[in-house]
Amino acid sequence: MNTIDNFNFKDKKALIRVDFNVPLDDSFEVTDATRIVSAKPTVIKVLEDGGSCVLMSHLGRPKGAQAEFSLKHIIGTIEDIYGVEVKFANDCIGEEAIVKANDLKPGEILLLENLRFHEEETKGDEDFAKQLSQLGDIYVNDAFGTAHRAHASTTIVAKFFPESKCFGYLLAKEIESIKKVLEDGEKPVLAVLGGAKVSSKITIIENILDKVDHLIIGGGMTFTFIKAMGGNVGDSICENDKLDLALDIMKKAKEKNVSIHLPTDVVAADAFSNDANTQIVNVEHIPDGWQGLDAGPETLVQFDKVVKSCKTILWNGPLGVFEMENFAKGTIALGHSIAQATKDGAFSLVGGGDSVAAVKEFGFEDKVSYVSTGGGAMLESLEGKTLPGIDAILQA
Ligand code: AMP
């Protein structure tokens, strides 16, 4: 893979696309610096080689140059985490940025103002990308979170560095982890797909059926499958226009020798509320007026066995409404099963949206092999799409 390790940055300026789209509180303090920490190895490698870094990122979704979305707010946090003074250019293109980039000495960092203060960024404007390209000698993409967007700084800019472009460590790790699961994972390979709706996961399911040996379907998706097979799902979330699709998935799975595992019992509630009355019921006999909001105990024993029998595990989507304490048990139990399987030697990747939030909230982050940093980018990778930001580095 074309990673940053293929380059020596001595006396070179690295133009690095990072993802510093971090959450800020009302006083513009960074409340979660994970993304800044994640880009550190890449930045430090360049500095230790004797090079300098020009860092570019977006922050939020500004309409023009709105002060509240300025990257100035995060300078102090970057300095604390990287232990290096950070210079700042008030515009990501133009005279000031060029002068400040040219003045950089080995070991120094320049942060550019929010890329999205220019609408040309998200439009993938070629002239804007060209102006960005003048700020560095080698282009490094380390922003997985935006790799699925053909924006100027994530994709278009790469064409101005035909011989000198590469992946940063974070992006390389994301690519490797996905490959390890979807292409060369040790068998048996398991995907656990939870979350709310079949419709939002259908492309993932279709892509994954060619890659896995086992597929656990949980969360709200369960009920579309159960109803399609003739069960009574009561008031559970169910996509009635996707019943045929669910049956088709079951059929395809059988043809491809993929074992599908669905919950057999659920925690049913008489309202979509943490304070609702609950009962454990068979998933095919949920009474009217009740809805399944979490996987039941029998299901969790069954899922635990499947998880522990597999060597490669992908987890996307919670097993229940984990935001409510009374319906988080299934998601937590699954986390424990995957953590144990990982300890016993399996490779586990958690990616895409809510399962990442769940893993962090329940303390499994360090107990799985890799937690992806990109929601939409991970989902598109799992759908089998080629991400433009990755493709741009791979193209000759
Ligand atoms: P997704 O973004 O598709 O991964 O869906 C995540 C959401 O699915 C979370 O907000 C969960 O609360 C929700 N969810 C999981 N299980 C259920 C369920 N049984 N009924 C309704 N929502 C659910």
Side-chain angles (χ1 to χ4, degrees):
M1 209 192 315
N2 190 10
T3 75
I4 191 166
D5 280 331
N6 295 351
F7 290 83
N8 186 329
F9 288 84
K10 183 155 175 46
D11 295 325
K12 300 275 187 218
K13 274 198 299 284
L15 176 65
I16 311 180
R17 178 50 159 104
V18 287
D19 181 2
F20 284 172
N21 184 27
V22 290
L24 302 176
D25 64 15
D26 291 345
S27 27
F28 301 110
E29 294 291 329
V30 176
T31 54
D32 180 354
T34 308
R35 287 176 166 165
I36 298 175
V37 173
S38 302
K40 185 174 175 181
T42 293
V43 172
I44 297 302
K45 140 85 181 162
V46 172
L47 301 184
E48 285 184 348
D49 269 4
S52 56
C53 294
V54 177
L55 304 182
M56 53 179 178
S57 177
H58 75 286
L59 177 66
R61 294 186 171 176
K63 301 253 173 298
Q66 287 177 275
E68 65 260 44
F69 293 105
S70 173
L71 280 164
K72 261 185 200 156
H73 303 307
I74 70 168
I75 293 174
T77 309
I78 304 173
E79 289 181 332
D80 289 346
I81 293 170
Y82 293 0
V84 181
E85 185 205 339
V86 173
K87 297 172 192 296
F88 188 73
N90 292 291
D91 193 350
C92 61
I93 53 168
E95 192 60 26
E96 185 197 342
I98 290 174
V99 170
K100 286 188 171 166
N102 284 342
D103 284 352
L104 277 184
K105 293 179 193 61
E108 291 185 341
I109 296 177
L110 172 67
L111 175 67
L112 305 178
E113 182 55 287
N114 196 337
L115 291 157
R116 291 197 189 165
F117 281 2
H118 295 265
E119 62 178 17
E120 290 86 348
E121 161 65 359
T122 49
K123 286 188 170 156
D125 183 88
E126 191 152 333
D127 182 59
F128 177 73
K130 190 175 182 185
Q131 294 188 62
L132 292 173
S133 75
Q134 288 159 0
L135 303 174
D137 305 308
I138 299 168
Y139 170 64
V140 182
N141 191 352
D142 210 21
F144 181 65
T146 48
H148 59 314
R149 308 277 184 220
H151 292 171
S153 69
T154 63
T155 302
I156 313 300
V157 72
K159 70 169 72 161
F160 299 101
F161 298 89
E163 304 293 328
S164 45
K165 54 184 178 179
C166 60
F167 299 115
Y169 290 125
L170 176 66
L171 187 42
K173 188 120 200 240
E174 295 275 358
I175 297 169
E176 262 166 35
S177 302
I178 296 163
K179 195 163 169 277
K180 224 166 169 176
V181 168
L182 295 187
E183 284 173 41
D184 35 46
E186 190 182 340
K187 281 174 161 295
V189 180
L190 161 72
V192 184
L193 295 183
K197 292 182 170 176
V198 178
S199 50
S200 63
K201 301 274 161 98
I202 180 63
T203 328
I204 296 183
I205 298 177
E206 282 177 344
N207 183 43
I208 261 171
L209 282 181
D210 286 324
K211 327 268 183 193
V212 302
D213 305 295
H214 295 272
L215 175 60
I216 288 181
I217 293 178
M221 283 202 288
T222 305
F223 307 104
T224 304
F225 283 87
I226 297 297
K227 184 160 181 187
M229 292 186 293
N232 185 0
V233 299
D235 290 0
S236 306
I237 186 173
C238 181
E239 291 170 280
N240 288 315
D241 59 337
K242 297 285 180 288
L243 301 179
D244 287 345
L245 188 68
L247 289 179
D248 191 47
I249 290 169
M250 304 285 288
K251 188 168 155 257
K252 279 190 186 142
K254 205 165 181 191
E255 284 163 12
K256 292 173 195 277
N257 261 330
V258 177
S259 309
I260 291 201
H261 307 270
L262 282 155
T264 50
D265 61 346
V266 289
V267 181
D270 61 358
F272 190 79
S273 158
N274 195 41
D275 304 323
N277 296 307
T278 61
Q279 57 172 324
I280 309 290
V281 293
N282 182 296
V283 73
E284 290 167 9
H285 303 288
I286 303 175
D288 291 343
W290 293 75
Q291 51 188 302
L293 294 184
D294 197 8
E298 184 187 280
T299 298
L300 296 175
V301 171
Q302 175 208 345
F303 285 2
D304 180 68
K305 279 197 196 122
V306 178
V307 168
K308 288 180 181 160
S309 73
C310 289
K311 286 279 167 220
T312 303
I313 302 161
L314 163 73
W315 181 16
N316 169 274
L319 285 193
V321 184
F322 74 100
E323 299 92 335
M324 297 183 199
E325 198 187 338
N326 289 336
F327 308 108
K329 286 194 193 77
T331 302
I332 295 173
L334 178 70
H336 279 297
S337 302
I338 295 178
Q340 187 59 47
T342 310
K343 206 171 166 193
D344 295 340
F347 178 82
S348 55
L349 166 64
V350 182
D354 274 327
S355 34
V356 172
V359 158
K360 287 186 177 175
E361 187 179 331
F362 303 128
F364 294 115
E365 209 175 350
D366 299 328
K367 297 184 174 131
V368 295
S369 308
Y370 192 67
V371 181
S372 174
T373 57
M378 178 48 101
L379 294 178
E380 290 198 16
S381 302
L382 299 179
E383 286 173 354
K385 291 185 186 151
T386 307
L387 308 189
I390 294 175
D391 206 34
I393 300 286
L394 299 174
Q395 293 301 320

